[in-house]
Amino acid sequence: MSSATPTSARVRRLPVVGALRLGRPSDVWFKPALSVVAAVAPPSLLLMTLGRLDLAPYTMAGSLCALYAHNRPYAARAKVLAWVILGMLGGLAVALVSASLTRNAVVLVTVGALLAAVQKAVCDATRVGPPAHVILTFVSSAALFVPQTLGQIPGHLALAAAAGVWAWLVGMAPAPLRPHGPERRATAQALHAAAACAETARGGEEGAGARSAAYAAVHAAWQTLLVVRNRPSTTRRALERLVIRAEVALAAPADADPARLRSWARAVQGTGRIPRTGDPRREADGLRREEDGLRPDGAGSCPDGTGSRPDGAGPCRTDGGARLDDDSLPRDGDLLRERDELVGVAAERAVTPRPLWSRLGPLTPVAVRSALGCALAGYVSLALGAERPYWALVTAASLYQANITLTWSRAVQRVVGNLVGVLLFAAVAPVAQLGPLALVLCILACNFGAEALIGRNYWLGSVCVTPLALLVTELPGYQPTGELVTGRVVDTLVGALVGFLAAVAVTNRRAGRHVERALTTVDRAGEHAARVAADPSSTPAALEAARRGLAAAVVDLRATADAAAGEWWQRALPQERVVLAEQAAHRTLAATVRRRGLLPDPGTTSTYTYTEGASP
């Protein structure tokens, strides 16, 4: 079990230039970019044809749901998109009702801040992923400042719901062509990251960054593969074996073959057959039979009991195949580890996730910070005479990241991207004002550009998001460009400053302790399960209780680590310790399954049990 000490706290300089450095584009950057265009274009063009482009903001609220869940397997994506659409409709309904009941700006800002806090907490608890709560907050906050009557609300919600259904269809459209596309991509990324780590190790470098990135990629791959818990398939099983190969490479990076890992990754990324790494149970048993045939006594293999062929041609083999030292054969230990972890993964998949309410509790400080920062940003914007304080509110809501350094970086990225974006809007506005079709086409171009560029750096995507938000305000009617530019700049600066100060003022230092406690729980549960599995007198009830306790602890560890990843604190998240603890727990879970007789022991049919990490 892992016994590494926690990473010590340290103070880092807040970066500026580094926050703006461009990264590599995503391998599938075009998927969300094309999806959002396909989701936004038909409803907008239809409303333009009907002469009701003023209703496009409501359909766009539903269309933007197509941005979500691109990393989820399609079975899970269907559910996530449905919940996102329902969440969007719920926030929009609250905003529209509030707008119809009062025009008091302070009250509306307060409602918007509370909605932003709820959206942030729920998205973090459910791990919805990018763009997380930001889109939902933008939709609900903007709707608060659109004049409404109660009689108009059902029609506006119906438009948003219809566009949401279309967005759901767009998001699910690739499923018939690539039913395991998300799982393939996540597995390929894990293999590429493991290959990079192996190359660094072979070069004699420390490679802490490459190793950390590889562990993160493997962790993400397991999340993708395990999210569909009760849908086993041959393809998913083969991908799990490849992820385990990546984990084996991380365990001994200097001995790994980067070329083979990258070859597997390239094959997985396509649409062809998934590389076969062999069935770990059959290969492990076969290798043990080989070892029996190579023992000095030669029992059961060589007729003369010498362990060699009579002709002196080499060691005897029970199957007459290649020699045992053939480099093409996987190692016995690797095969056993792979088989053990596959059984452990199956046990973890059977655990029911914690209920949502129990995951929301630790996120209370995050919700408080979001509510405070968004409310203060809106109030300051109102005090400065802004007509659209929701811009400041949304800016504040978008800042909060995993730690104070990343929160500062996001603030820098948001400010720089918005300032450049308003210049782009000033250049595009004359074209957009040529007519309704030109306006819709400009909006589609900004949608595509935002999703195509945001993967390289948030500020680069914001360059297109800013003119998009400004163009949306012109759907009901054209407005003076200068006023829009000035208002956007002021609200961006106010939201970034006030939002960052709120992040500094409201902290959640318990997040680190939660992760440490979860790691300790997994260690203790694993040690207990290993002792129970190694004890010949253990009853089936004790074995089952130990197995369930360890599996539940592993699931809780992952949920706690993911919750802490949405919080900033002075210590780095012990991501490597989390992955190592999960690996050890998977193998111990396998030992309990074997001990219960559900799987024969390695190379034998006896009751001897193989365990790892068991305490005496």
Side-chain angles (χ1 to χ4, degrees):
M1 294 297 171
S2 175
S3 59
T5 57
T7 304
S8 59
R10 53 180 175 175
V11 178
R12 299 180 179 179
R13 296 177 57 186
L14 297 178
V16 176
V17 177
L20 303 177
R21 188 174 294 115
L22 299 181
R24 293 184 57 186
S26 168
D27 294 336
V28 290
W29 61 268
F30 54 90
K31 290 183 179 292
L34 293 176
S35 294
V36 71
V37 171
V40 171
S44 299
L45 292 174
L46 178 60
L47 290 174
M48 183 196 70
T49 303
L50 298 175
R52 293 303 310 270
L53 205 54
D54 58 305
L55 298 175
Y58 302 106
T59 60
M60 196 169 297
S63 298
L64 291 178
C65 294
L67 295 172
Y68 288 86
H70 284 275
N71 62 333
R72 303 290 183 107
Y74 287 105
R77 183 184 299 186
K79 297 179 181 179
V80 171
L81 284 177
W83 282 111
V84 167
I85 293 167
L86 291 175
M88 179 275 300
L89 290 173
L92 182 61
V94 172
L96 294 180
V97 171
S98 301
S100 67
L101 296 178
T102 181
R103 299 310 306 156
N104 186 305
V106 174
V107 173
L108 295 177
V109 166
T110 303
V111 173
L114 294 176
L115 282 174
V118 172
Q119 290 158 344
K120 169 68 175 174
V122 172
C123 286
D124 282 2
T126 56
R127 295 177 296 178
V128 167
H133 66 291
V134 177
I135 294 296
L136 303 178
T137 300
F138 171 75
V139 168
S140 58
S141 300
L144 284 167
F145 293 89
V146 177
Q148 296 283 322
T149 63
L150 289 174
Q152 293 175 314
I153 293 176
H156 293 165
L157 290 177
L159 288 172
V165 172
W166 173 247
W168 188 92
L169 294 174
V170 169
M172 297 300 297
L177 301 177
R178 294 199 65 187
H180 295 95
E183 297 99 315
R184 283 173 172 261
R185 289 195 298 271
T187 302
Q189 289 168 359
L191 291 168
H192 276 305
C197 181
E199 289 171 346
T200 302
R202 287 192 169 191
E205 304 174 10
E206 289 293 333
R211 189 174 180 84
S212 177
Y215 273 107
V218 168
H219 185 55
W222 278 125
Q223 285 182 312
T224 302
L225 291 170
L226 293 176
V227 72
V228 184
R229 294 184 172 269
N230 296 317
R231 292 175 179 266
S233 70
T234 302
T235 299
R236 192 171 292 112
R237 195 71 168 175
L239 293 173
E240 288 175 357
R241 291 192 179 101
L242 287 172
V243 175
I244 292 173
R245 295 295 189 183
E247 288 184 329
V248 171
L250 290 181
D255 298 331
D257 184 355
R260 175 178 291 184
L261 292 170
R262 293 196 185 280
S263 175
W264 285 340
R266 286 191 295 270
V268 168
Q269 284 176 312
T271 58
R273 295 173 63 88
I274 296 176
R276 300 180 66 88
T277 61
D279 187 304
R281 178 176 177 177
R282 292 178 180 176
E283 291 182 5
D285 291 344
L287 284 175
R288 286 193 179 277
R289 285 195 298 270
E290 284 180 1
E291 289 181 345
D292 289 340
L294 291 171
R295 288 181 300 175
D297 61 0
S301 56
C302 296
D304 58 1
T306 63
S308 300
R309 293 191 181 97
D311 59 3
C316 286
R317 291 290 305 275
T318 57
D319 57 0
R323 293 174 61 89
L324 182 62
D325 59 354
D326 190 339
D327 290 339
S328 65
L329 287 173
R331 295 182 177 182
D332 188 13
D334 289 351
L335 291 170
L336 292 173
R337 180 186 301 178
E338 178 180 329
R339 193 193 78 172
D340 283 356
E341 193 156 351
L342 282 174
V343 178
V345 166
E348 182 181 349
R349 183 183 283 116
V351 176
T352 304
R354 289 191 304 165
L356 177 61
W357 62 267
S358 66
R359 286 174 277 162
L360 287 173
L363 295 173
T364 300
V366 176
V368 172
R369 177 195 304 159
S370 297
L372 179 63
C374 293
L376 292 178
Y379 298 152
V380 173
S381 180
L382 286 175
L384 295 176
E387 295 183 3
R388 300 174 183 83
Y390 66 87
W391 283 343
L393 189 156
V394 174
T395 296
S398 69
L399 300 185
Y400 308 119
Q401 302 299 307
N403 53 57
I404 192 63
T405 302
L406 293 178
T407 300
W408 164 262
S409 297
R410 181 53 54 89
V412 172
Q413 294 162 356
R414 181 84 181 190
V415 170
V416 172
N418 282 13
L419 293 180
V420 177
V422 295
L423 297 179
L424 178 60
F425 170 73
V428 170
V431 177
Q433 293 175 357
L434 293 176
L437 180 60
L439 177 58
V440 171
L441 292 178
C442 287
I443 288 175
L444 294 177
C446 288
N447 270 300
F448 183 88
E451 294 307 311
L453 298 175
I454 204 165
R456 302 202 63 184
N457 194 298
Y458 183 82
W459 79 264
L460 197 59
S462 295
V463 171
C464 292
V465 171
T466 299
L468 170 62
L470 294 172
L471 289 171
V472 169
T473 64
E474 298 202 323
L475 287 171
Y478 299 119
Q479 303 180 46
T481 301
E483 293 182 7
L484 290 176
V485 168
T486 301
R488 182 69 176 192
V489 170
V490 172
D491 286 337
T492 294
L493 296 176
V494 168
L497 177 60
V498 176
F500 182 74
L501 292 177
V504 174
V506 182
T507 62
N508 179 20
R509 299 193 178 274
R510 293 179 298 173
R513 293 198 295 270
H514 290 328
V515 175
E516 295 295 336
R517 263 199 299 268
L519 283 167
T520 301
T521 301
V522 170
D523 287 346
R524 292 176 178 174
E527 292 170 359
H528 172 68
R531 284 194 298 269
V532 172
D535 185 359
S537 63
S538 297
T539 64
L543 284 167
E544 181 64 13
R547 186 189 71 82
R548 287 183 178 274
L550 177 57
V554 173
V555 174
D556 183 69
L557 172 61
R558 175 173 292 133
T560 303
D562 290 334
E567 178 60 45
W568 75 263
W569 43 304
Q570 294 300 319
R571 295 179 180 178
L573 184 67
Q575 201 164 41
E576 184 171 338
R577 286 184 60 200
V578 170
V579 176
L580 289 174
E582 288 181 323
Q583 287 179 251
H586 288 160
R587 293 190 288 273
T588 305
L589 285 170
T592 62
V593 173
R594 281 198 308 272
R595 179 65 175 77
R596 292 182 62 220
L598 300 180
L599 183 68
D601 292 308
T604 181
T605 58
S606 69
T607 58
Y608 169 81
T609 301
Y610 169 80
T611 60
E612 179 172 350
S615 299

